Amino acid sequence: MATAVKKKLKYAVHKWSSYSYNYLPENICTDKPNDQSSRWSSDSNQPPQYLILKLERPAIVEAISFGKYEKTHVCNLKKFKIFGGLGDDHMVELLESGLKNDHQSETFQLKNEIDDNHFPCRYIKIVPIQAWGPSFNFSIWFVELTGVDDWSVVKPCMSWYNTYREREAIRLCLKHFRQRQYIEAYEALQKKTKIALEHPILTELHNLLVKEGDYESSENLVIRACEDGLFDHYISQQDYKPKWTPIEPTMKTVDNTVDYRPGMRGGHQMCIDIHTEMAYLYGGWDGNQDLADMWSYHIPSKQWTCISKNTEEEGGPSPRSCHKMCLDHDRKQVFTLGRYLDSPMRTAENLKSDFYMYDIGSGKWTLITEDSGAMGGPKLIFDHQMVMDVEHQTIYVFGGRVLTRYSDTAERSSEPTFSGLFAYHVPTNTWKKLLDDCSALRSRIGHSMLFHPKKRVLYIFAGQRSKEYLNDFFTYHVDSGMIEVISDGTKKDSAHTVPAAGFTQRATLDPDSDEIHVLSGLSKDKDKRENVKNSFWVYDVGKINGNVIESMSCIYRNENSGQQYWTKMQHVEPVPRFAHQLVYDHVKKVHYLFGGNPGKESLPKMRLDDFWSLKLCRPSADHLLRCCQYLIRKYRFQELTATNQSMAMSYLQTDLADTVDHNDPDETQEFHRLASALFRGESVDEDMIDVSDQQLSENYHRRTELFDKLVSYFPESMTQPKGNLVDLIPLC
Amino acid sequence: MSRGNVCDAPQLHPSFRKKPVYCLDCCFCGSTVCRRGMKAILLADTKTELFSTDVPDRSEVDVTCELFYTDNCQCEVEHMACKECGNIVGYHVRMPCRDCLQSCNNGHLWMYHRKVVMPRERLDRKGEKIMVWGKLPDVSKDFTYQPLEECIRRLLGVAAIEGVELSLHMSHQLDDQRMLKEG
């Protein structure tokens, strides 16, 4: 496949839902962007609307391209789905996406693999879901399909696909026969085809549990499976749950003063040294003035230490806020650059961009330069981003707004200037401008930028540019200078799948698990503040592959905005805010959040000094195992109630009670319901020993249900097919 | 100025009452996009011909949700497109500016570009005379004309099939010339 020639695939329009006027379906075969009539247009936007294309030959379809009209058009497809298959009645979904409402053609990769094997398609179905104008018909100007239709390539895929389908069909039969106790048919089919329904360990579980009803051995088998790590895959697929904990620092009295923790502030900076488990906090705005105090926080002892009450007095930077800071954990150095100055405060002298380094070992500040702008670096900027490539001792600075003097009348009318991308090489003390603010790399403020030390890329996303809130996401490869756009943020339907733009998000990166974490907070923009939200997102950068939305999940969102609610919650979860700081210890997997601006209109000067840790938890293997045990025992109990109530009673009180998480209200409630079930049907005790056929079959059915539940925790490659044969029967 | 201005006093001015009512067809796909059109010109640029309407039929046209401002004034306007083919046939003044409100106008906020619609004079209920604005019922009561309209359209359709298409085009052209003189 890799060596096969990809080419344009010839197709004809095979079927269509409707068309209007002279906007015929076959118009999509020709690309005439300057002709408004060279398109297919449906005569309604009532679903289902579709076009089915038939390829000249079966092919591995790689991509679909949409040509457009030379201007924006309300009939462009904001949302669509693509299906494919060898017949026009059985197709699988290959893509769900949308087009931008512009004149540029767009290309989308199509799914063409199952279990690492390519599958061929003869028919491609395009299903419009929504047009840019919600009440308008759907139009497609031009469609091009690319892929491989070389028979020498397609043929093996075809035979693999047929084998695959055959095998899956047999496995579905096997599953069905076993579920329905057609044991002879099951055995005969298995013997004849030699196709395995599942991993032998699960067959063993089925024998023990469903056939024999040996709950105890089944439980032991599950325990063994858990110990062998068979549940690990399932756990890794589960969503994180956030756990916020307010940190009450250890009281420390120094010279009878109680200054044991940093005061209220926003616009400060924090960085973390994961090796020494120290966090550093510097500067900020307390509501009235800029600050110049520097603190360290020792994570294990929960102790803050004031390194300096005023760094300016020690040869360090003057009080400041909206600056940025980064840390070299190998050489124990902290760098700081940029600041915000109110316009009346700006003078020619203080508009220079001073650049400082703090040496943690010696406790000494060094002024690297009075003005990084004069060295070929950024001019004085604020709300930029700064990250460090520790291995190569290079600092990257991107974005931020350049401070200018308003006394310059020429400047007043002009657009604000945004700073580009710069690199500072520490050993040679040199600045290098990598890119100016340009369309390929649009500069901004209030964005997030993260450096992945293994992949050696910068992840840049979100932010604001004048009145525009940016919703894009792209990477910059530091070695090649290549920019890769992962999402340009124009898909407006993604409101629930990506964090809202313009929210003052804070982001961290975990280089080990390849995850980016985003905490979105309060919008700085008062008009946008009605939807105050805390929300936490996780991007799996390992999974990013041309579609960021697919690899992103919202861990939680809290849409409460009432003051009363947040007063009640003040010890449970941090109130939404902006101008706060979030740092991440990727070894211990803990986030730390400090201070910020809660954006209270009644108290505009209020800043916060609360300090939180955030852990993202997935269910542990032990937790999952307990759940399995609870399930097994619950089913055993239910089986017992039908035959022997007194045994069931004592089983409920001992074995079953042991596995219940009595802290979980749902589980406790269910447990109580189980107990009451015991006294509902009391007519079973006459023939305890002679279990009827019906009872046996009922047991088999219920145990199968339990088996299917347990199996869902095992990796899919080990289990019986998820689907059921009966579900494939159409109802009409 | 983006509003279609006619030098009438609003609503009940005598010259306004005598103006004919036009039906407008989209020139891209032929669908009827208006049954209550009034010929108008832009006050700011008398060469710009327009048709305007008081209340558009939302099953025929809709706005495209792209707001913009014109060079001439501060009115906030948005494109209006034919529901059938999605092509832009005019615009809607979403928020008229002070200048436009103060100058004389016909009170219509929905404008059709002359070049992309084909006008037909609308007939009265009996189908005898050309409907004028003074006799046009309020939009809430203006539903009786539709069956008649459909009837006329069907007749035109039959004519087209019988090879009289050319003369129909001619009548449109004549229409155009007459209107140019009026403008």
Side-chain angles (χ1 to χ4, degrees):
Chain A
M1 188 62 197
T3 52
V5 190
K6 288 168 200 168
K7 60 168 204 175
K8 285 179 203 168
L9 302 171
K10 278 189 191 156
Y11 68 83
V13 183
H14 172 66
K15 274 184 189 166
W16 53 88
S17 51
S18 66
Y19 69 88
S20 69
Y21 189 55
N22 53 5
Y23 303 117
L24 302 172
E26 54 263 34
N27 289 351
I28 65 160
C29 302
T30 43
D31 190 15
K32 281 194 231 158
N34 50 10
D35 179 2
Q36 70 81 22
S37 67
S38 175
R39 56 169 155 149
W40 165 67
S41 196
S42 62
D43 77 347
S44 151
N45 54 16
Q46 291 292 313
Q49 295 297 330
Y50 61 85
L51 288 180
I52 299 179
L53 316 183
K54 185 181 184 184
L55 294 166
E56 198 180 40
R57 279 186 284 273
I60 314 298
V61 188
E62 290 268 320
I64 184 166
S65 299
F66 290 90
K68 293 185 207 153
Y69 185 43
E70 61 186 358
K71 293 179 195 156
T72 62
H73 202 285
V74 276
C75 298
N76 273 324
L77 305 185
K78 190 176 179 180
K79 254 188 189 176
F80 64 83
K81 281 188 180 186
I82 307 287
F83 298 83
L86 283 169
D88 66 354
D89 46 356
H90 283 103
M91 298 199 190
V92 290
E93 188 176 319
L94 308 180
L95 175 74
E96 176 171 4
S97 196
L99 296 178
K100 288 178 232 161
N101 192 10
D102 62 14
H103 66 279
Q104 255 146 3
S105 63
E106 288 180 71
T107 301
F108 301 87
Q109 298 299 310
L110 295 176
K111 174 184 166 168
N112 56 17
E113 286 183 3
I114 302 173
D115 299 345
D116 293 331
N117 288 288
H118 291 282
F119 62 85
C121 287
R122 184 75 194 265
Y123 294 91
I124 297 290
K125 183 176 182 180
I126 306 169
V127 182
I129 295 168
Q130 197 184 353
W132 273 91
S135 59
F136 291 90
N137 296 331
F138 307 117
S139 289
I140 298 175
W141 265 261
F142 175 60
V143 171
E144 187 175 275
L145 296 166
T146 47
V148 180
D149 65 356
D150 182 345
W151 185 240
S152 66
V153 177
V154 177
K155 190 171 176 267
C157 296
M158 201 90 147
S159 44
W160 170 82
Y161 184 62
N162 287 334
T163 319
Y164 171 83
R165 278 164 46 117
E166 186 62 26
R167 196 173 60 105
E168 288 309 294
I170 289 166
R171 292 178 70 223
L172 279 173
C173 291
L174 286 172
K175 181 181 174 187
H176 184 75
F177 293 162
R178 189 170 73 176
Q179 273 182 354
R180 302 296 190 275
Q181 288 180 277
Y182 303 127
I183 301 304
E184 292 85 0
Y186 173 84
E187 281 169 355
L189 183 60
Q190 199 168 42
K191 202 175 158 195
K192 178 92 182 166
T193 60
K194 296 193 171 59
I195 285 170
L197 173 60
E198 64 205 349
H199 192 275
I201 202 169
L202 290 174
T203 308
E204 192 189 337
L205 180 63
H206 189 271
N207 285 339
L208 288 171
L209 180 67
V210 186
K211 266 197 200 155
E212 295 164 23
D214 182 348
Y215 282 91
E216 224 157 283
S217 304
S218 304
E219 199 178 309
N220 288 333
L221 190 144
V222 169
I223 294 170
R224 242 176 21 247
C226 179
E227 284 166 354
D228 293 345
L230 294 181
F231 294 162
D232 291 358
H233 177 76
Y234 174 85
I235 291 168
S236 74
Q237 298 302 304
Q238 299 308 296
D239 277 344
Y240 286 116
K241 287 202 168 60
K243 193 170 172 262
W244 288 103
T245 314
I247 304 177
E248 208 38 61
T250 314
M251 187 72 136
K252 187 173 68 171
T253 323
V254 183
D255 308 333
N256 288 328
T257 59
V258 282
D259 246 2
Y260 67 99
R261 58 184 296 174
M264 298 171 177
R265 67 194 68 206
H268 49 291
Q269 276 295 290
M270 231 165 121
C271 52
I272 191 166
D273 182 347
I274 46 159
H275 301 312
T276 58
E277 293 189 77
M278 279 286 215
Y280 296 89
L281 181 147
Y282 172 64
W285 173 262
D286 69 0
N288 293 303
Q289 58 177 349
D290 276 332
L291 303 169
D293 52 344
M294 178 133 179
W295 295 77
S296 67
Y297 176 77
H298 187 237
I299 295 166
S301 67
K302 292 187 174 181
Q303 224 166 56
W304 284 102
T305 306
C306 183
I307 297 176
S308 169
K309 281 191 172 150
N310 184 349
T311 51
E312 193 170 22
E313 287 170 4
E314 294 169 21
S318 54
R320 59 193 57 207
S321 55
C322 301
H323 52 298
K324 282 291 169 286
M325 199 156 96
C326 64
L327 183 134
D328 178 346
H329 51 74
D330 278 356
R331 292 159 202 87
K332 307 295 176 208
Q333 293 169 336
V334 176
F335 298 84
T336 180
L337 178 82
R339 64 187 301 204
Y340 179 74
L341 279 167
D342 274 328
S343 44
M345 310 287 285
R346 297 175 196 170
T347 64
E349 192 48 39
N350 70 15
L351 279 186
K352 286 179 181 166
S353 168
D354 53 3
F355 181 36
Y356 282 92
M357 186 267 282
Y358 176 75
D359 185 84
I360 296 169
S362 65
K364 288 257 157 40
W365 284 95
T366 307
L367 177 62
I368 299 172
T369 173
E370 278 187 340
D371 186 5
S372 59
M375 284 176 74
K379 293 180 183 158
L380 184 59
I381 48 178
F382 68 96
D383 280 352
H384 47 295
Q385 281 288 302
M386 178 155 90
V387 292
M388 185 155 196
D389 170 5
V390 173
E391 191 193 343
H392 291 63
Q393 287 187 262
T394 305
I395 293 169
Y396 294 93
V397 178
F398 173 62
R401 205 174 129 183
V402 177
L403 281 173
T404 48
R405 281 174 70 192
Y406 283 107
S407 55
D408 274 329
T409 42
E411 293 283 350
R412 189 175 292 173
S413 59
S414 66
E415 287 283 298
T417 314
F418 294 94
S419 183
L421 176 65
F422 294 88
Y424 175 73
H425 187 233
V426 183
T428 55
N429 185 27
T430 46
W431 280 99
K432 190 176 165 196
K433 181 160 75 185
L434 302 174
L435 271 171
D436 264 322
D437 176 23
C438 59
S439 58
L441 190 80
R442 294 185 71 204
S443 184
R444 65 217 37 222
I445 59 168
H447 49 296
S448 291
M449 175 164 88
L450 302 158
F451 179 68
H452 195 306
K454 290 174 202 155
K455 294 179 191 278
R456 304 199 47 73
V457 294
L458 297 170
Y459 293 97
I460 300 170
F461 53 94
Q464 188 183 351
R465 190 180 164 99
S466 296
K467 285 189 174 158
E468 184 186 358
Y469 290 101
L470 302 162
N471 222 351
D472 53 352
F473 190 120
F474 58 92
T475 58
Y476 177 87
H477 293 254
V478 295
D479 298 322
S480 66
M482 190 178 77
I483 296 167
E484 204 176 332
V485 178
I486 294 164
S487 162
D488 61 9
T490 53
K491 307 255 158 67
K492 288 193 179 154
D493 55 308
S494 51
H496 286 277
T497 46
V498 293
F503 281 72
T504 51
Q505 79 292 335
R506 291 289 180 267
T508 60
L509 182 137
D510 189 325
D512 303 327
S513 62
D514 279 345
E515 283 171 345
I516 291 176
H517 310 123
V518 183
L519 174 69
S520 79
L522 191 54
S523 175
K524 266 187 198 168
D525 188 345
K526 286 203 179 91
D527 300 339
K528 290 203 161 194
R529 216 173 275 170
E530 66 268 27
N531 298 321
V532 171
K533 262 174 221 169
N534 269 349
S535 67
F536 201 92
W537 302 75
V538 176
Y539 294 85
D540 188 334
V541 292
K543 277 194 217 159
I544 286 179
N545 182 20
N547 190 351
V548 67
I549 290 152
E550 210 169 87
S551 57
M552 185 165 189
S553 56
C554 181
I555 300 308
Y556 87 111
R557 59 171 83 219
N558 188 334
E559 313 210 348
N560 285 290
S561 57
Q563 187 149 354
Q564 277 188 336
Y565 172 85
W566 285 108
T567 309
K568 201 178 79 199
M569 293 293 282
Q570 61 179 317
H571 300 298
V572 183
E573 189 188 327
V575 62
R577 60 192 68 203
F578 60 90
H580 50 298
Q581 272 293 290
L582 183 74
V583 292
Y584 182 57
D585 174 351
H586 70 256
V587 178
K588 294 252 163 75
K589 313 283 181 206
V590 187
H591 282 90
Y592 296 93
L593 176 136
F594 186 89
N597 184 344
K600 280 193 184 172
E601 271 177 55
S602 53
L603 294 165
K605 289 194 169 181
M606 183 181 180
R607 297 295 180 271
L608 301 166
D609 65 349
D610 52 347
F611 189 39
W612 296 81
S613 73
L614 167 66
K615 274 187 194 163
L616 299 175
C617 310
R618 281 191 170 125
S620 66
D622 286 346
H623 171 82
L624 194 60
L625 180 60
R626 189 194 57 75
C627 291
C628 290
Q629 287 175 305
Y630 171 65
L631 261 182
I632 295 171
R633 293 184 190 188
K634 187 175 91 182
Y635 274 82
R636 184 177 184 183
F637 163 76
Q638 285 167 334
E639 211 173 299
L640 274 174
T641 50
T643 51
N644 187 335
Q645 295 205 337
S646 61
M647 250 173 86
M649 178 69 166
S650 66
Y651 187 75
L652 177 82
Q653 288 166 334
T654 54
D655 295 19
L656 182 53
D658 284 351
T659 59
V660 176
D661 178 358
H662 295 279
N663 293 322
D664 181 337
D666 291 345
E667 230 171 82
T668 315
Q669 208 187 352
E670 190 187 20
F671 179 62
H672 291 152
R673 266 206 311 276
L674 286 174
S676 62
L678 195 53
F679 305 104
R680 222 176 288 136
E682 282 174 61
S683 58
V684 249
D685 46 345
E686 61 245 32
D687 51 358
M688 282 173 5
I689 301 142
D690 177 29
V691 182
S692 67
D693 274 0
Q694 196 199 339
Q695 185 62 49
L696 268 177
S697 153
E698 168 72 16
N699 282 349
Y700 192 91
H701 179 71
R702 293 194 41 80
R703 291 171 195 165
T704 298
E705 190 182 282
L706 170 61
F707 176 75
D708 289 351
K709 281 185 185 168
L710 292 174
V711 151
S712 68
Y713 300 125
F714 287 80
E716 218 172 302
S717 57
M718 289 176 71
T719 66
Q720 60 187 16
K722 262 196 193 146
N724 289 307
L725 201 55
V726 284
D727 295 333
L728 299 177
I729 309 304
L731 280 174
C732 49
Chain B
M1 219 168 288
S2 21
R3 299 192 69 182
N5 289 293
V6 287
C7 284
D8 302 323
Q11 301 306 323
L12 289 167
H13 192 278
S15 67
F16 171 82
R17 296 174 61 90
K18 283 181 199 156
K19 282 176 105 40
V21 180
Y22 288 94
C23 294
L24 307 172
D25 291 346
C26 170
C27 79
F28 301 106
C29 68
S31 327
T32 301
V33 288
C34 181
R35 289 183 168 94
R36 299 170 64 88
M38 181 192 286
K39 217 161 109 60
I41 47 162
L42 275 189
L43 212 59
D45 175 10
T46 49
K47 280 179 194 148
T48 305
E49 277 190 77
L50 292 167
F51 283 91
S52 68
T53 194
D54 48 355
V55 181
D57 186 337
R58 289 304 188 101
S59 67
E60 292 161 348
V61 287
D62 202 355
V63 293
T64 69
C65 307
E66 293 164 278
L67 290 181
F68 61 95
Y69 295 90
T70 62
D71 299 335
N72 297 321
C73 67
Q74 295 295 307
C75 286
E76 192 180 274
V77 294
E78 56 193 335
H79 286 305
M80 168 172 70
C82 166
K83 281 274 275 276
E84 183 70 16
C85 65
N87 289 324
I88 308 283
V89 291
Y91 59 89
H92 168 225
V93 183
R94 204 174 136 111
M95 189 69 85
C97 69
R98 185 173 294 180
D99 288 352
C100 285
L101 281 176
Q102 281 171 351
S103 65
C104 71
N105 63 72
N106 62 8
H108 291 180
L109 296 174
W110 299 85
M111 310 298 153
Y112 294 84
H113 300 305
R114 174 65 192 88
K115 284 179 185 159
V116 293
V117 291
M118 294 183 295
R120 294 177 277 130
E121 278 157 343
R122 181 172 152 183
L123 300 180
D124 65 8
R125 219 173 284 186
K126 287 180 187 164
E128 289 166 355
K129 286 181 194 160
I130 289 168
M131 175 74 92
V132 291
W133 275 87
K135 292 188 178 160
L136 185 65
D138 182 76
V139 72
S140 59
K141 294 175 187 117
D142 185 16
F143 41 78
T144 45
Y145 67 87
Q146 270 174 345
L148 185 62
E149 275 302 313
E150 280 214 332
C151 175
I152 288 172
R153 280 173 72 81
R154 211 167 291 141
L155 282 172
L156 289 175
V158 171
I161 292 164
E162 287 170 357
V164 213
E165 210 176 358
L166 190 69
S167 60
L168 278 173
H169 271 287
M170 296 281 285
S171 80
H172 275 303
Q173 279 167 13
L174 286 171
D175 236 12
D176 284 2
Q177 280 163 14
R178 197 167 66 230
M179 265 179 299
L180 276 173
K181 277 175 206 156
E182 278 175 7

